[in-house]
Structures are given as structure tokens and as C-alpha cells.
Amino acid sequence: WNFAATTSMQWLRNGVAIEGAVGQAYTLSAADLGQNISCASTGVLDHFESKTLTSSSVKVYLGTQMIVPKPILSGKSKVGRTLSIKKNVWGDGVSLKFQWLRDGVKISKATKPKYKVSKKDLGHKISVRIVSSKPGYFGVTRVTKATKKVTK
């Protein structure tokens, strides 16, 4: 636009104005997934007719979670002790699902961030599979390194 023109910008989803999405930048939301996003820029200059130009659109795809830490177990692999995993290192807006494993096989109903080692675990190695998800992003699965064999 001519440096003297007053401009305004309106972001569009599939050619329709996104309520409240004005200005030079727009932060994508989960509602934008799979949609075409573009921007309409209107220039106004005294004594001239206003003009609106619309950018080409870009289709929004799933992103990759940026914070995907290597999960580490804490606690001792002894019967009666508790193993745990830190939840707060994945970042804001991330949901986590846990599945504790005995020698790589699911342990029934063991889906919390903490796991109390039982007699059934004696002589086996314990690990946990964590699936992280966030709206607009691919899910990410990580499995911790297994403990040493559980002892009494």
C-alpha cells in the first residue's frame, strides 16, 4: 500500500471473516485445522476509492509438539514402593495418558502418573508409555527406560 494509505486487516477462514481476528498477526486455533486461512487487507486513502486485496490461502495441517521431553521414572523398583513420572514438563495445553508396563505388556488399570509396585511385579521390569496430545498437533508417544528387575 501507499505509505499514506490507512490499512486494516481481517483474517478469513475459508473466505469468511474470523470474528475478532484483525491486525497483522493471527494465532491459529483448533477450529482452523483443515481449513484455508487467508487475510484481506483494505487500504483507504483520501480522495481515492478504498481497495481490498486478499492473500492466497494456506491450508492448516496438524503441527508437531515442540516440547516432547524424554520421560524419566523416579522411585525404586521394589515391592511396595511407588514409581512416578513428572507431568509438568510437557508444556501448556498438553494432555497426557499413562499406561504402565510389566516387561513391555500393559498392566491392567495402571493409567496414572504414579504406580505402586506390587508382588506381581517381582522379578519383572517396569516402564510407562506416555501419550501426549494437544489440539492442533500430532500426538506423541514416549516409553520410559525400564527399571531394573523388581525386588523385595
Side-chain angles (χ1 to χ4, degrees):
W1 293 112
N2 178 310
F3 67 91
T6 302
T7 60
S8 62
M9 295 181 172
Q10 172 65 59
W11 291 88
L12 311 170
R13 182 183 302 121
N14 298 325
V16 177
I18 301 169
E19 187 176 332
V22 295
Q24 292 184 343
Y26 172 65
T27 301
L28 296 171
S29 72
D32 299 322
L33 185 60
Q35 308 304 311
N36 292 303
I37 303 298
S38 58
C39 184
S41 178
T42 302
V44 178
L45 185 61
D46 288 342
H47 310 293
F48 291 91
E49 189 176 324
S50 65
K51 178 96 173 160
T52 300
L53 300 173
T54 302
S55 71
S56 57
S57 65
V58 176
K59 189 164 186 160
V60 178
Y61 294 96
L62 287 173
T64 302
Q65 292 180 39
M66 298 303 291
I67 300 175
V68 184
K70 181 178 178 181
I72 299 172
L73 283 175
S74 62
K76 297 200 180 221
S77 56
K78 293 187 175 209
V79 173
R81 300 296 290 267
T82 299
L83 298 172
S84 64
I85 189 82
K86 277 190 177 179
K87 294 190 323 182
N88 60 351
V89 294
W90 267 265
D92 294 334
V94 176
S95 297
L96 301 174
K97 290 186 180 180
F98 300 90
Q99 178 59 65
W100 290 88
L101 309 168
R102 181 185 300 119
D103 294 331
V105 179
K106 286 183 184 182
I107 300 171
S108 180
K109 299 180 184 177
T111 57
K112 305 285 184 195
K114 294 184 178 185
Y115 175 72
K116 187 170 182 179
V117 181
S118 73
K119 290 179 183 177
K120 290 181 182 178
D121 300 319
L122 193 58
H124 300 281
K125 294 182 179 183
I126 304 296
S127 59
V128 62
R129 180 176 47 240
I130 303 161
V131 178
S132 63
S133 61
K134 184 175 182 177
Y137 293 85
F138 287 106
V140 178
T141 301
R142 294 286 185 263
V143 179
T144 63
K145 182 179 175 183
T147 64
K148 294 180 181 179
K149 288 185 177 183
V150 173
T151 60
K152 288 185 180 183

